[in-house]
Amino acid sequence: MLTQVAVARLTGTSEDFSYLAQEAPGLCLFLGVTPGDRDPLKAAPNHNPNFFVDERALVVGTRTMALMTAAFLTEQAVEVAK
């Protein structure tokens, strides 16, 4: 599977993440789920009846979250061991 990483343009969405990040360290990332043969800039957005998810992206998202969690826990374990 070909995985691509890109810096997303800033959006004016109304996520509550900024409030949560004021209380605890955090990271917000977007998982692109637009099929590879479609232009992401022209794809239907969330909450649109034409929105379509390439479910293969869910594997990438799950792996990303698992690896980030393992890296965080490893770093915390090293700090505790000091």
Side-chain angles (χ1 to χ4, degrees), residues 1 3 6 8 14 16 25 34 37 44 48 51 55 58 70 74 77 79:
M1 175 190 312
T3 302
S14 60
D16 292 335
T34 302
D37 63 342
N48 180 300
F51 180 65
E55 292 184 357
L58 300 178
T74 300
E79 290 297 318

PDB file of all heavy atoms in Angstrom, residues 1 3 6 8 14 16 25 34 37 44 48 51 55 58 70 74 77 79:
ATOM      1  N   MET A   1       0.844  -1.171   0.000  1.00  0.00           N
ATOM      2  CA  MET A   1       0.000   0.000   0.000  1.00  0.00           C
ATOM      3  C   MET A   1       0.891   1.237   0.000  1.00  0.00           C
ATOM      4  O   MET A   1       1.844   1.332   0.760  1.00  0.00           O
ATOM      5  CB  MET A   1      -0.891  -0.003   1.235  1.00  0.00           C
ATOM      6  CG  MET A   1      -1.703   1.262   1.350  1.00  0.00           C
ATOM      7  SD  MET A   1      -2.585   1.496   2.913  1.00  0.00           S
ATOM      8  CE  MET A   1      -3.369  -0.039   3.173  1.00  0.00           C
ATOM      9  N   THR A   3       1.601   4.864   0.985  1.00  0.00           N
ATOM     10  CA  THR A   3       1.173   5.810   2.008  1.00  0.00           C
ATOM     11  C   THR A   3       1.791   7.159   1.709  1.00  0.00           C
ATOM     12  O   THR A   3       2.984   7.255   1.480  1.00  0.00           O
ATOM     13  CB  THR A   3       1.615   5.330   3.407  1.00  0.00           C
ATOM     14  OG1 THR A   3       1.070   4.047   3.633  1.00  0.00           O
ATOM     15  CG2 THR A   3       1.144   6.277   4.474  1.00  0.00           C
ATOM     16  N   ALA A   6       1.176  14.436   4.030  1.00  0.00           N
ATOM     17  CA  ALA A   6       1.146  15.824   3.574  1.00  0.00           C
ATOM     18  C   ALA A   6       0.769  16.723   4.735  1.00  0.00           C
ATOM     19  O   ALA A   6       0.086  16.294   5.670  1.00  0.00           O
ATOM     20  CB  ALA A   6       0.139  15.990   2.438  1.00  0.00           C
ATOM     21  N   ALA A   8      -1.544  19.402   6.047  1.00  0.00           N
ATOM     22  CA  ALA A   8      -2.896  19.843   5.685  1.00  0.00           C
ATOM     23  C   ALA A   8      -3.012  21.351   5.800  1.00  0.00           C
ATOM     24  O   ALA A   8      -2.332  21.977   6.612  1.00  0.00           O
ATOM     25  CB  ALA A   8      -3.917  19.171   6.595  1.00  0.00           C
ATOM     26  N   SER A  14     -14.755  23.593  13.981  1.00  0.00           N
ATOM     27  CA  SER A  14     -15.063  23.904  15.381  1.00  0.00           C
ATOM     28  C   SER A  14     -14.778  22.711  16.292  1.00  0.00           C
ATOM     29  O   SER A  14     -15.634  22.279  17.046  1.00  0.00           O
ATOM     30  CB  SER A  14     -16.518  24.336  15.501  1.00  0.00           C
ATOM     31  OG  SER A  14     -17.360  23.292  15.045  1.00  0.00           O
ATOM     32  N   ASP A  16     -13.212  20.752  19.470  1.00  0.00           N
ATOM     33  CA  ASP A  16     -12.951  21.087  20.865  1.00  0.00           C
ATOM     34  C   ASP A  16     -11.519  20.760  21.276  1.00  0.00           C
ATOM     35  O   ASP A  16     -11.148  20.933  22.428  1.00  0.00           O
ATOM     36  CB  ASP A  16     -13.910  20.324  21.781  1.00  0.00           C
ATOM     37  CG  ASP A  16     -15.348  20.789  21.622  1.00  0.00           C
ATOM     38  OD1 ASP A  16     -15.553  21.946  21.204  1.00  0.00           O
ATOM     39  OD2 ASP A  16     -16.257  20.000  21.920  1.00  0.00           O
ATOM     40  N   PRO A  25      -1.045  17.695  27.277  1.00  0.00           N
ATOM     41  CA  PRO A  25      -0.367  17.690  25.976  1.00  0.00           C
ATOM     42  C   PRO A  25      -1.176  16.859  24.973  1.00  0.00           C
ATOM     43  O   PRO A  25      -1.794  15.861  25.334  1.00  0.00           O
ATOM     44  CB  PRO A  25       0.981  17.029  26.270  1.00  0.00           C
ATOM     45  CG  PRO A  25       1.160  17.156  27.743  1.00  0.00           C
ATOM     46  CD  PRO A  25      -0.212  17.167  28.341  1.00  0.00           C
ATOM     47  N   THR A  34      -9.658   9.585   1.339  1.00  0.00           N
ATOM     48  CA  THR A  34     -10.109   9.714  -0.051  1.00  0.00           C
ATOM     49  C   THR A  34      -9.419   8.648  -0.893  1.00  0.00           C
ATOM     50  O   THR A  34      -8.210   8.468  -0.803  1.00  0.00           O
ATOM     51  CB  THR A  34      -9.748  11.107  -0.607  1.00  0.00           C
ATOM     52  OG1 THR A  34     -10.345  12.093   0.231  1.00  0.00           O
ATOM     53  CG2 THR A  34     -10.243  11.276  -2.030  1.00  0.00           C
ATOM     54  N   ASP A  37      -7.650   7.269  -6.462  1.00  0.00           N
ATOM     55  CA  ASP A  37      -7.967   7.713  -7.829  1.00  0.00           C
ATOM     56  C   ASP A  37      -8.829   8.977  -7.855  1.00  0.00           C
ATOM     57  O   ASP A  37      -9.236   9.427  -8.918  1.00  0.00           O
ATOM     58  CB  ASP A  37      -8.656   6.590  -8.604  1.00  0.00           C
ATOM     59  CG  ASP A  37      -9.992   6.184  -7.996  1.00  0.00           C
ATOM     60  OD1 ASP A  37     -10.243   6.506  -6.814  1.00  0.00           O
ATOM     61  OD2 ASP A  37     -10.771   5.521  -8.702  1.00  0.00           O
ATOM     62  N   ALA A  44     -16.036  14.781  -1.756  1.00  0.00           N
ATOM     63  CA  ALA A  44     -17.103  15.242  -0.868  1.00  0.00           C
ATOM     64  C   ALA A  44     -16.597  15.222   0.577  1.00  0.00           C
ATOM     65  O   ALA A  44     -15.942  14.283   0.994  1.00  0.00           O
ATOM     66  CB  ALA A  44     -18.319  14.346  -1.009  1.00  0.00           C
ATOM     67  N   ASN A  48     -21.552  14.665   4.188  1.00  0.00           N
ATOM     68  CA  ASN A  48     -22.117  14.885   2.859  1.00  0.00           C
ATOM     69  C   ASN A  48     -22.580  13.521   2.357  1.00  0.00           C
ATOM     70  O   ASN A  48     -21.878  12.534   2.537  1.00  0.00           O
ATOM     71  CB  ASN A  48     -21.022  15.472   1.945  1.00  0.00           C
ATOM     72  CG  ASN A  48     -21.512  15.738   0.546  1.00  0.00           C
ATOM     73  OD1 ASN A  48     -21.954  14.840  -0.157  1.00  0.00           O
ATOM     74  ND2 ASN A  48     -21.399  16.986   0.124  1.00  0.00           N
ATOM     75  N   PHE A  51     -19.946  11.488   0.524  1.00  0.00           N
ATOM     76  CA  PHE A  51     -18.686  11.181   1.197  1.00  0.00           C
ATOM     77  C   PHE A  51     -18.403   9.691   1.076  1.00  0.00           C
ATOM     78  O   PHE A  51     -19.282   8.854   1.273  1.00  0.00           O
ATOM     79  CB  PHE A  51     -18.783  11.587   2.667  1.00  0.00           C
ATOM     80  CG  PHE A  51     -17.544  11.310   3.463  1.00  0.00           C
ATOM     81  CD1 PHE A  51     -16.360  11.967   3.182  1.00  0.00           C
ATOM     82  CD2 PHE A  51     -17.562  10.418   4.510  1.00  0.00           C
ATOM     83  CE1 PHE A  51     -15.217  11.736   3.922  1.00  0.00           C
ATOM     84  CE2 PHE A  51     -16.436  10.164   5.265  1.00  0.00           C
ATOM     85  CZ  PHE A  51     -15.257  10.826   4.967  1.00  0.00           C
ATOM     86  N   GLU A  55     -11.499   2.380   2.994  1.00  0.00           N
ATOM     87  CA  GLU A  55     -11.283   1.748   4.289  1.00  0.00           C
ATOM     88  C   GLU A  55      -9.861   1.235   4.490  1.00  0.00           C
ATOM     89  O   GLU A  55      -9.469   0.960   5.619  1.00  0.00           O
ATOM     90  CB  GLU A  55     -12.307   0.649   4.515  1.00  0.00           C
ATOM     91  CG  GLU A  55     -13.713   1.225   4.678  1.00  0.00           C
ATOM     92  CD  GLU A  55     -14.762   0.190   4.991  1.00  0.00           C
ATOM     93  OE1 GLU A  55     -14.441  -1.023   5.037  1.00  0.00           O
ATOM     94  OE2 GLU A  55     -15.924   0.587   5.177  1.00  0.00           O
ATOM     95  N   LEU A  58      -7.892   3.056   7.114  1.00  0.00           N
ATOM     96  CA  LEU A  58      -8.092   2.778   8.531  1.00  0.00           C
ATOM     97  C   LEU A  58      -6.938   1.955   9.106  1.00  0.00           C
ATOM     98  O   LEU A  58      -6.582   2.102  10.273  1.00  0.00           O
ATOM     99  CB  LEU A  58      -9.431   2.080   8.754  1.00  0.00           C
ATOM    100  CG  LEU A  58     -10.654   2.892   8.293  1.00  0.00           C
ATOM    101  CD1 LEU A  58     -11.932   2.099   8.506  1.00  0.00           C
ATOM    102  CD2 LEU A  58     -10.708   4.235   8.987  1.00  0.00           C
ATOM    103  N   ALA A  70       2.933   3.560  21.561  1.00  0.00           N
ATOM    104  CA  ALA A  70       4.095   2.789  22.014  1.00  0.00           C
ATOM    105  C   ALA A  70       5.300   3.700  22.229  1.00  0.00           C
ATOM    106  O   ALA A  70       6.031   3.557  23.216  1.00  0.00           O
ATOM    107  CB  ALA A  70       4.422   1.689  21.007  1.00  0.00           C
ATOM    108  N   THR A  74       7.040   4.253  25.822  1.00  0.00           N
ATOM    109  CA  THR A  74       8.462   3.954  25.944  1.00  0.00           C
ATOM    110  C   THR A  74       9.213   5.151  26.511  1.00  0.00           C
ATOM    111  O   THR A  74      10.038   5.010  27.413  1.00  0.00           O
ATOM    112  CB  THR A  74       9.052   3.554  24.577  1.00  0.00           C
ATOM    113  OG1 THR A  74       8.353   2.399  24.107  1.00  0.00           O
ATOM    114  CG2 THR A  74      10.530   3.265  24.663  1.00  0.00           C
ATOM    115  N   ALA A  77       8.469   5.446  30.170  1.00  0.00           N
ATOM    116  CA  ALA A  77       9.168   4.420  30.935  1.00  0.00           C
ATOM    117  C   ALA A  77      10.639   4.803  31.132  1.00  0.00           C
ATOM    118  O   ALA A  77      11.211   4.600  32.205  1.00  0.00           O
ATOM    119  CB  ALA A  77       9.057   3.074  30.249  1.00  0.00           C
ATOM    120  N   GLU A  79      11.813   7.857  31.246  1.00  0.00           N
ATOM    121  CA  GLU A  79      11.833   8.971  32.212  1.00  0.00           C
ATOM    122  C   GLU A  79      11.681   8.456  33.641  1.00  0.00           C
ATOM    123  O   GLU A  79      12.350   8.934  34.557  1.00  0.00           O
ATOM    124  CB  GLU A  79      10.728   9.987  31.885  1.00  0.00           C
ATOM    125  CG  GLU A  79      10.974  10.781  30.628  1.00  0.00           C
ATOM    126  CD  GLU A  79      12.227  11.645  30.729  1.00  0.00           C
ATOM    127  OE1 GLU A  79      12.440  12.267  31.793  1.00  0.00           O
ATOM    128  OE2 GLU A  79      12.976  11.696  29.745  1.00  0.00           O
TER     129      GLU A  79
END
